[in-house]
Amino acid sequence: MDSKRANLLIACLVTATTVMILNETLLSVALPAIMADFHLSADIAQWLSTGFMLTMAVVIPVTGYIQQVLPTRTIFITSVVLFLVGTFVAALAPGFMVVLVGRILQAAGTAIIIPLLMTVVLTIVEPSSRGSVMGIITVAIAVAPTVGPTLSGLILSFATWHWLFWIMLVLGILVFFAGLRLLVNVGEVRRIPLDILSVVLSALGFGGLVYALSSISAVVEHGNKIPVFVGIAGVVLLAVFVLRQLRLVTTYGPLLDVRVLKERNFTLGMCAILGGFGVIIGVSMVLPLYLQGSVHVSEILTGLVVLPGGLLQGFMSPFIGRLYDRYGPRPLAIPGALVLCLGVWAFVFVVPSGKLSLIILSHILVALGMGLVMTPMMTAALGALPKRLYSHGSAVLNTLQQLAGAAGTALLIAMMTLGQNSALESGVSLPEAMSHGTQVAFAVAGVIAILVLVAVLFVRRPDDAPTPAE
């Protein structure tokens, strides 16, 4: 494939991915308005986010199989059509359940497009240029969620929440027609039987674990034991799923080839990505609660506080990718992990002051550090795999990213709640208690950031890593 055609294909997939991931966080600021319209409690309305994550966790593991048996254009069209139908349904929704159905369809489309983008890039881009392209992908995966709440706040300042979906629908239609014109099939299609039992085990296992992690606040605050039992069942089912995939290797092929985890570079790089992703998603959930509950800033200002960091990461990511192509992962990821640690621990000391300038600076450090970690680790991890495992590697990475995002959010929110309740018992005011709880949450995030630093120390450039036997 000539370079012009390859660039157009990647640009189309990156744009589609950006639109869909932007949509994932667009609704967070609109939840109060939806709750008011449909007379919902917060725990019911939260299913618009939880349902989205659950669907992603269920669908992504199947994408490794889908990419082997269907051509690229068919997968793209299916993904975008699911997203468009879901967006249209949600925009016209007369009630909450219809909005939820729309979000589930949107999530199914999003779950298909992200692994497809990574697999196509690994297939058609030369190893010497992958860092540059992965830097652009990082803009979609890491920056779009940061911009989402800000864009949502601006739209809601002059329109109803329905317009969030109408705007996404217009963008999705443009992406759809661009894809029909530009997309060509990449790679070879094979006829492989689908193991239904693996699909069921994957859906119940990953879905159960994401639900349990998303519901951890109910365990902490109300002593609800159901998420605990669901989480344990999810872990058991995933263990059975992994054993079955290893067994299917010797027969007609696994749904998700977990042998990718035997590649040292892939596993270490993935651990760094998952830790960093859990931190950045958890911080993005805790920070708005602190700003609005303790510092008493508006929704729009809350979005603007995190915007500089997101924009900086988006601006830097393509350059970080080019530097990776020249110098490899460690000269970028090690300083990046140090900056990530510095930014997260800075939050711990800045939070009591409530100074927005220091909070913005701390968030910029976190975003910059994550940018320096994510692109090199993603490129080094996936690039270490043999070509036949590209689709499975991207499916494993994206599936576990969903778990990391849910776990990071659940853990930091739980720590924030415990810290806040402890402070309230000592007799301080609610804003002070929330500030203390936020400090506890960021301290836990700081420990995770240190583990990210440890992981990146051992990741090597794929050219220097042992190549798995084909």
Side-chain angles (χ1 to χ4, degrees), residues 365-438:
L365 290 174
V366 170
L368 178 60
M370 189 60 189
L372 286 166
V373 169
M374 187 137 182
T375 298
M377 290 298 99
M378 190 184 300
T379 311
L382 292 172
L385 299 174
K387 187 175 181 179
R388 61 186 172 81
L389 292 179
Y390 284 166
S391 61
H392 291 283
S394 61
V396 168
L397 177 59
N398 283 283
T399 300
L400 295 182
Q401 269 190 256
Q402 296 304 309
L403 292 178
T409 299
L411 179 61
L412 296 197
I413 292 292
M415 292 300 101
M416 182 182 186
T417 302
L418 290 173
Q420 178 178 313
N421 291 342
S422 175
L424 285 172
E425 290 175 1
S426 66
V428 303
S429 65
L430 181 58
E432 288 179 301
M434 185 169 286
S435 175
H436 176 72
T438 305

Side-chain angles (χ1 to χ4, degrees), residues 191-224:
R191 302 191 70 162
I192 306 172
L194 176 63
D195 183 54
I196 301 299
L197 179 57
S198 292
V199 175
V200 173
L201 289 171
S202 170
L204 294 177
F206 285 114
L209 201 51
V210 168
Y211 168 76
L213 291 170
S214 302
S215 306
I216 198 170
S217 59
V219 178
V220 174
E221 294 184 43
H222 309 297
N224 187 351

Side-chain angles (χ1 to χ4, degrees), residues 47-49 51-52 95-105:
W47 271 98
L48 293 178
S49 297
F52 198 100
F96 172 74
M97 289 305 298
V98 181
V99 181
L100 182 58
V101 169
R103 287 289 283 175
I104 289 172
L105 291 172

